[in-house]
Amino acid sequence: MNKNVLITGGSKGIGLELVKYFNTKNINTVSISRTKSKYTSDLNHEILFDLIDFENFYKIESILTEHRIKNTITDIIFNLGDGKKFSDDKEIENNYYDMINFISSKKLSEYFLKNYKGINTFTFINSICRFNSANCNEGYTKSKQDLFKYSKEIEVDAASKHIRVNSLTLGDVLHKNSSWSKKFKNKEEEDSYLKKTKLNNKFVDTQDICLTINLIIENNSLIGEEIILDCGHTTLLPDSSASVDD
C-alpha cells in the first residue's frame, strides 16, 4: 500500500527533516504549515499555506481534495511549535502556545477522525517540558501537557477506527536553524553547554527522530505508547516523576 504522510509544520525544523527523510524512502508527503519554507524547492513535497488561520478548519477538505490526497492519507504526524519566547505579555504568549501546540492538533485530529477513512497512525511529537521542567516556558509546558493528555483521551475512539495513536517525546534537538543552533556562536559554546548536562553530552539527533517515527508508522503492535528520545536529559528535571495530572 502506498503511503501518504501528512506532517504539520513541515516547512522547517523537525518537520522539514521528516520531509527530507520520507523523500529518501519515496514516501509521499504533504504538510500544513504556518510559514513558507526556503528549503523545500528540491524536494518532492507540497506545503499547504492556506491553513495559517487555525480557525478556518472548514477549508481542509477542499484544500486536500485539490491536492488529490483526500481519503488517501495513511499517517499523520503532529509536529508542533518550539518553546522560544513569543511575547512579553504572559497571557498573549500562553494563548499562542495553547493554539499552535494543543488546539490546532485537537481540531485537526478531530476533523480527520470524523471525516477520513484509511488512516493508520497519529503520532504526536511532544517535549520533555511536559514533565514540568523549570527551564521551559510556562505556556509552552502547559500546552505540551494538554496535548499529551488529549492524545491519551482519544486512543480508544481512534482504535475503534483502526488508528494507532502514539507519542514521541523529545529532549533538546539540534538542527540547522533550530532555536538551539542560534544560541551557539561556535562549536566551543555548544560543547560547553553539553558538558553541563553531565550525561550523554549530546543533543537528540534528527536522524534518530526520523527513524523512530518510521518505526512507529511501520510497527503495527505500537499503540498508546510514549517513546522518549532525550539523551537522558529527563533525569535532570526537578520533578521528572510528575504525572501530567499531578
Side-chain angles (χ1 to χ4, degrees):
M1 176 180 176
N2 293 330
K3 289 188 175 295
N4 289 290
V5 180
L6 177 69
I7 304 170
T8 69
S11 64
K12 59 184 178 180
I14 295 171
L16 179 57
E17 295 302 317
L18 286 167
V19 170
K20 292 177 180 177
Y21 172 80
F22 286 125
N23 261 237
T24 67
K25 300 292 184 180
N26 294 319
I27 292 175
N28 299 321
T29 59
V30 64
S31 70
I32 296 172
S33 182
R34 295 177 296 121
T35 56
K36 292 188 177 182
S37 174
K38 302 176 182 177
Y39 312 105
T40 58
S41 59
D42 59 338
L43 298 173
N44 180 23
H45 175 66
E46 291 181 293
I47 298 178
L48 314 183
F49 304 111
D50 303 68
L51 299 178
I52 291 176
D53 181 356
F54 284 124
E55 296 300 322
N56 293 330
F57 281 93
Y58 66 87
K59 293 182 178 180
I60 292 178
E61 185 169 353
S62 62
I63 291 171
L64 295 184
T65 300
E66 178 184 343
H67 286 75
R68 300 179 183 178
I69 60 172
K70 178 173 171 55
N71 292 327
T72 63
I73 297 173
T74 57
D75 303 274
I76 302 178
I77 300 168
F78 295 93
N79 169 58
L80 310 155
D82 61 22
K84 64 184 178 182
K85 189 173 181 60
F86 176 73
S87 171
D88 290 328
D89 186 304
K90 189 173 182 179
E91 182 177 357
I92 291 176
E93 184 165 78
N94 288 350
N95 288 339
Y96 167 77
Y97 285 118
D98 188 45
M99 176 59 75
I100 68 167
N101 284 328
F102 173 55
I103 295 176
S104 62
S105 294
K106 184 175 184 290
K107 286 190 173 184
L108 278 172
S109 57
E110 286 175 346
Y111 179 88
F112 284 113
L113 280 170
K114 180 180 179 180
N115 295 288
Y116 277 67
K117 296 180 180 180
I119 298 174
N120 297 320
T121 64
F122 283 175
T123 304
F124 293 91
I125 298 182
N126 215 302
S127 166
I128 61 170
C129 284
R130 79 167 191 81
F131 294 110
N132 302 318
S133 170
N135 297 320
C136 296
N137 175 289
E138 179 183 332
Y140 178 76
T141 296
K142 184 178 184 304
S143 69
K144 292 298 189 179
Q145 292 171 339
D146 290 344
L147 178 67
F148 182 76
K149 186 174 182 179
Y150 170 73
S151 70
K152 302 303 289 183
E153 289 173 348
I154 66 169
E155 282 176 6
V156 174
D157 183 32
S160 70
K161 297 176 173 62
H162 308 289
I163 300 173
R164 296 182 287 110
V165 177
N166 295 287
S167 294
L168 174 60
T169 296
L170 303 175
D172 298 338
V173 182
L174 185 65
H175 54 78
K176 184 178 180 181
N177 295 311
S178 70
S179 56
W180 280 108
S181 70
K182 294 173 183 178
K183 289 182 180 180
F184 306 125
K185 295 179 181 178
N186 49 52
K187 188 68 167 60
E188 287 70 27
E189 287 190 5
E190 179 184 328
D191 290 341
S192 176
Y193 169 81
L194 290 173
K195 286 179 181 179
K196 293 177 183 178
T197 67
K198 299 178 182 178
L199 286 166
N200 288 341
N201 295 335
K202 63 179 292 187
F203 287 92
V204 177
D205 188 88
T206 54
Q207 183 66 12
D208 289 337
I209 295 172
C210 293
L211 291 172
T212 305
I213 290 287
N214 191 63
L215 171 67
I216 292 172
I217 290 175
E218 295 291 344
N219 192 327
N220 291 327
S221 64
L222 280 176
I223 182 170
E225 297 291 342
E226 179 186 24
I227 298 175
I228 298 177
L229 290 180
D230 70 338
C231 301
H233 295 173
T234 305
T235 59
L236 294 177
L237 302 180
D239 51 0
S240 60
S241 62
S243 164
V244 293
D245 295 321
D246 287 350

